[in-house]
Amino acid sequence: MKRAWCVCGFLSLWLVLGRSEDFMVGDSLFSYVQSEAVDAAPASPPEPLMVPLTLIQGADSKGAVCLDGTLPGYHWHRGSGLGANSWLIQLDGGGWCNNIRTCVYRKNSRRGSSKFMEKELAFTGILSNKSEENPDFFNWNRVKVRYCDGASFSGDSRNDAAQLNFRGQRIWLAAMEHLMAKGMQNATQALLSGCSAGGLASILHCDEFRGLFPNKTKVKCLSDAGMFLDAVDVSGGRSLRNMYAGVVTLQEVQKNLPRTCTRRLDPTLCFFPQNLIANIKTPLFLVNSAYDVWQVQSSLAPQSADPHGSWTECRKNHALCNSSQIQFLQDFRNQMLDAVKIFSESKQNGLFINSCFAHCHSERQDTWFAKDSPLLQNKSVAKSVGDWYFDREVVKAIDCPYPCDKTCHNLVSK
């Protein structure tokens, strides 16, 4: 049965032909719709593995605490068989906070306090324990490190007046120390990955991660939807650069940014992956949508840059963009390709840049590895990442421009 993934727009069609699913990306609610042949009911997906939250006891003695001062945590499913000494660390994502107001708001949520974190998380996609869902990493030790600092695990400061702890770097170090003691020090293979703000964190910490292990350990990094660009928005300003400046200054991120970058650029610019990736020594794979929906909504065409609302409909749904708006988005794609050009020349690095309106492929089963997953060069994200990690093939896959890709699972904002 052929499945077509479409943008939301025809509610009556949803009710007759398909199903919709809502989920959060950062602070935005998105939907995707799966339309089905009317004579065939979709098969029920298997129940995902639920993995409990573990708090890192003693982390507070090192100052490694969430925004509100609670302990950080992670979810760990042990490896087995041939994967018993292989480790996959997935850094959680979920935006940033760039001023006292947004950080105070954040500390009263799972993004700033372990008090509000789910006690169990479903492990799907790259975290799945089923070989038919995650063929290369299903039996590894798979860990999801929760994100509760608001600066991609990289800040180190405190605001006493607001009782805010900006300790992302310490959380990163405490989590790695804890997991090394739990057996990761014996790893023969390791992969650091992350989605969105976690994808940025996997870039920022990639070489640090490599440094935890002896040279004989195979270590690589994966960034999913972490290539946030320093792009000009629809008003001619730089919305994301302005926001990042707040994050870097408030949380004193500059202390932990790569000196190969801060020696030549302003620290805010060194929070952008485009200014980091060419100097990372550890093999790195980038998975990204050339028309990343979070960047479209929050960097390219945020409401603050669109006071007259001319981008309102396009921002929510790419199918409603006019020709000049599509051209603006095509220019953004070109910036993405320019940003990875030098990086891609290294044989050890890998790419999967498709032309979808999406954000994050590795944690959702439908976009990681399924019968109708997005494809590039006839390979899913899971197959592409696996081929690269295990050196089965060189993977430098870049899609043709929108709207040529018919395998996308595009997202629209609610």
Side-chain angles (χ1 to χ4, degrees), residues 54-360:
T54 298
L55 298 181
I56 304 174
Q57 301 299 327
D60 51 345
S61 68
K62 303 178 178 69
V65 292
C66 298
L67 286 172
D68 71 338
T70 54
L71 292 173
Y74 62 83
H75 304 255
W76 172 28
H77 188 246
R78 290 180 183 271
S80 61
L82 295 177
N85 288 320
S86 298
W87 288 74
L88 186 152
I89 307 298
Q90 180 84 352
L91 300 178
D92 197 10
W96 308 270
C97 62
N98 64 323
N99 54 43
I100 296 298
R101 178 183 60 82
T102 56
C103 291
V104 167
Y105 177 82
R106 188 182 181 97
K107 80 172 184 177
N108 293 307
S109 75
R110 70 186 188 278
R111 303 296 189 199
S113 171
S114 57
K115 289 191 300 185
F116 301 102
M117 290 178 184
E118 302 90 336
K119 302 308 179 190
E120 289 185 320
L121 275 188
F123 270 27
T124 60
I126 197 171
L127 296 173
S128 173
N129 66 327
K130 301 176 178 67
S131 60
E132 64 272 22
E133 296 179 346
N134 188 24
D136 283 310
F137 307 107
F138 72 96
N139 61 351
W140 284 33
N141 291 277
R142 299 167 328 284
V143 182
K144 183 161 189 176
V145 182
R146 298 304 295 267
Y147 178 38
C148 63
D149 63 278
S152 289
F153 297 90
S154 61
D156 193 9
S157 66
R158 176 177 163 79
N159 185 288
D160 291 323
Q163 295 186 315
L164 287 168
N165 299 276
F166 304 122
R167 302 300 191 189
Q169 179 71 19
R170 298 190 190 197
I171 292 172
W172 155 261
L173 292 172
M176 293 304 103
E177 180 182 353
H178 190 84
L179 292 169
M180 291 293 278
K182 292 290 185 180
M184 192 167 72
Q185 62 184 342
N186 300 317
T188 56
Q189 302 178 116
L191 176 63
L192 177 67
S193 64
C195 159
S196 192
L200 170 56
S202 69
I203 292 172
L204 291 169
H205 291 294
C206 183
D207 284 341
E208 286 181 70
F209 188 66
R210 164 71 269 186
L212 295 174
F213 303 95
N215 290 336
K216 65 181 180 180
T217 306
K218 186 185 188 76
V219 180
K220 297 188 179 184
C221 305
L222 165 65
S223 173
D224 179 10
M227 270 298 292
F228 297 95
L229 296 186
D230 182 23
V232 174
D233 62 35
V234 296
S235 72
R238 291 187 183 267
S239 294
L240 189 56
R241 183 191 291 186
N242 293 338
M243 194 266 278
Y244 273 6
V247 176
V248 170
T249 301
L250 179 67
Q251 302 214 29
E252 297 185 18
V253 172
Q254 70 276 4
K255 294 186 291 188
N256 299 308
L257 293 171
R259 294 188 180 183
T260 53
C261 183
T262 56
R263 281 198 296 260
R264 58 188 178 86
L265 294 175
D266 180 87
T268 296
L269 297 181
C270 296
F271 205 54
F272 283 98
Q274 67 199 74
N275 297 319
L276 301 173
I277 55 175
N279 291 313
I280 291 175
K281 298 180 176 64
T282 308
L284 173 64
F285 194 100
L286 301 177
V287 175
N288 233 92
S289 297
Y291 312 95
D292 183 283
V293 291
W294 189 93
Q295 295 192 64
V296 170
Q297 289 206 350
S298 301
S299 175
L300 297 182
Q303 293 182 14
S304 59
D306 181 35
H308 302 296
S310 59
W311 275 80
T312 299
E313 296 305 315
C314 175
R315 180 168 57 242
K316 295 179 179 178
N317 184 346
H318 67 279
L320 302 179
C321 298
N322 61 38
S323 58
S324 63
Q325 289 169 334
I326 289 293
Q327 185 55 54
F328 187 87
L329 298 177
Q330 300 290 21
D331 291 342
F332 177 74
R333 172 184 177 271
N334 291 336
Q335 292 175 58
M336 178 80 70
L337 300 188
D338 286 344
V340 302
K341 188 173 182 181
I342 295 175
F343 166 85
S344 67
E345 292 174 356
S346 171
K347 291 182 179 180
Q348 70 176 10
N349 296 328
L351 290 169
F352 186 106
I353 298 181
N354 64 17
S355 291
C356 303
F357 286 81
H359 184 75
C360 290

Side-chain angles (χ1 to χ4, degrees), residues 4-20 32-38:
W5 292 78
C6 58
V7 298
C8 308
F10 304 99
L11 182 57
S12 60
L13 184 64
W14 298 2
L15 299 176
V16 175
L17 294 181
R19 63 179 177 84
S20 69
Y32 63 89
V33 174
Q34 180 180 349
S35 63
E36 304 281 355
V38 294

